[in-house]
Amino acid sequence: MTAWQGDREIALQGSKQRTMFAALLFQRGQVVSDLRLGELLWGDRPPATASAQIHTYASRLRKQLAPAVTIRRHHPGYLLQVCHGHLDLELFESRVRFGHSALRLGGYEESVNWFRSALRLWHGPALSNVTEHLIQIERPRLEEARLTALSSLIDAELALGRHARLIPELVDLVIQHPLQERFRAQLMMALDQEGCREEALSVYQEGRRLLAEELGVDPSPTLRSVYQALLSGESPKVAVPTGAEAS
């Protein structure tokens, strides 16, 4: 969790101050109550001086982040407003939307460029140096957004026939996220396009076993459709997500 003024990093002091800044940013112009801030800063045991400490963090943030960021007291909490284009998360989401739009229209090269541009905004794990209370609530959503953008980038690259260079990356992604069926389906398609159909079928069987053992479920229709296409001797096509699935 970092803030920058031009090329200079603004030194936000301590995990509590960073947590308050992040909590206000996530609400994007909505009031975050003192009660909610207290839960994110200290969990279910805020100190007796919680309100005073929150006030101190807000004052320090105002001084450090002005004029790009405005923090106002708005009962029962605080409200943050940031100039448009100054928040990486907003830029990421905007570029991902453009990427999905290009992907749906068949503009695969343009889509690749948008997704790559979005993913370059990530610098390591989301929400470093904040409290565990905030990490537990917000990091899964952010990580899911990153993985969705990455898998959409891979869809576009597969559509461009770049399967050979994608295989090592997809192997690593399946190892890191063994229950992520979309990466597994993409690896199967890449292997098939490279002429390794038997290996692709083995990737499916491994995924089916893991899903049954870990979650007690069968493979999704998407993963099954790729498998059935391979069994039929067909080359499965990239299924471009639409609507909420791509958001």
Side-chain angles (χ1 to χ4, degrees):
M1 182 70 201
T2 56
W4 295 82
Q5 188 174 67
D7 295 330
R8 180 180 65 87
E9 182 177 353
I10 299 173
L12 299 178
Q13 300 299 318
S15 64
K16 296 290 195 297
Q17 190 172 333
R18 291 172 182 270
T19 296
M20 181 165 176
F21 182 38
L24 293 173
L25 280 173
F26 283 131
Q27 293 306 308
R28 304 194 200 180
Q30 297 182 17
V31 175
V32 184
S33 70
D34 291 349
L35 179 62
R36 181 59 172 164
L37 288 170
E39 292 172 347
L40 296 173
L41 290 165
W42 296 284
D44 58 2
R45 290 190 173 184
T49 58
S51 293
Q53 291 190 53
I54 290 171
H55 175 77
T56 299
Y57 299 144
S59 297
R60 290 175 180 170
L61 287 168
R62 283 193 195 99
K63 292 175 182 177
Q64 291 178 286
L65 301 172
V69 173
T70 302
I71 297 175
R72 294 190 289 111
R73 176 68 182 171
H74 196 296
H75 188 76
Y78 291 85
L79 172 72
L80 180 146
Q81 293 177 310
V82 60
C83 297
H84 180 69
H86 282 65
L87 181 59
D88 278 357
L89 182 59
E90 286 185 350
L91 293 174
F92 170 79
E93 291 172 342
S94 175
R95 293 171 188 181
V96 166
R97 283 195 298 271
F98 285 129
H100 281 135
S101 178
L103 185 58
R104 286 192 293 270
L105 294 173
Y108 301 124
E109 195 65 64
E110 180 186 359
S111 178
V112 164
N113 292 335
W114 279 118
F115 287 127
R116 283 181 178 165
S117 176
L119 290 165
R120 277 196 294 269
L121 294 169
W122 289 78
H123 307 284
L127 297 176
S128 58
N129 300 319
V130 301
T131 65
E132 285 297 321
H133 312 294
L134 182 65
I135 288 173
Q136 290 173 7
I137 292 170
E138 295 290 351
R139 182 176 283 176
R141 176 179 66 86
L142 295 173
E143 180 63 7
E144 182 62 27
R146 185 185 72 83
L147 293 178
T148 298
L150 179 56
S151 60
S152 295
L153 167 62
I154 292 170
D155 280 340
E157 300 230 68
L158 283 172
L160 289 167
R162 298 171 180 170
H163 47 276
R165 77 183 195 192
L166 285 171
I167 289 174
E169 180 181 2
L170 282 165
V171 168
D172 287 342
L173 286 169
V174 168
I175 291 172
Q176 294 169 27
H177 309 280
L179 301 179
Q180 267 274 359
E181 294 181 79
R182 195 167 168 193
F183 289 139
R184 190 172 292 275
Q186 290 170 327
L187 176 56
M188 291 167 64
M189 286 187 283
L191 287 168
D192 176 62
Q193 290 176 27
E194 190 64 6
C196 304
R197 182 159 294 182
E198 288 301 317
E199 191 173 344
L201 293 172
S202 296
V203 169
Y204 173 84
Q205 295 298 347
E206 179 194 24
R208 181 180 180 182
R209 178 184 60 79
L210 285 171
L211 288 166
E213 291 178 355
E214 299 291 331
L215 302 178
V217 299
D218 293 325
S220 66
T222 298
L223 193 56
R224 290 201 306 271
S225 69
V226 174
Y227 177 65
Q228 290 298 328
L230 295 178
L231 288 179
S232 302
E234 302 172 2
S235 291
K237 304 296 182 184
V238 175
V240 177
T242 58
E245 191 181 352
S247 62

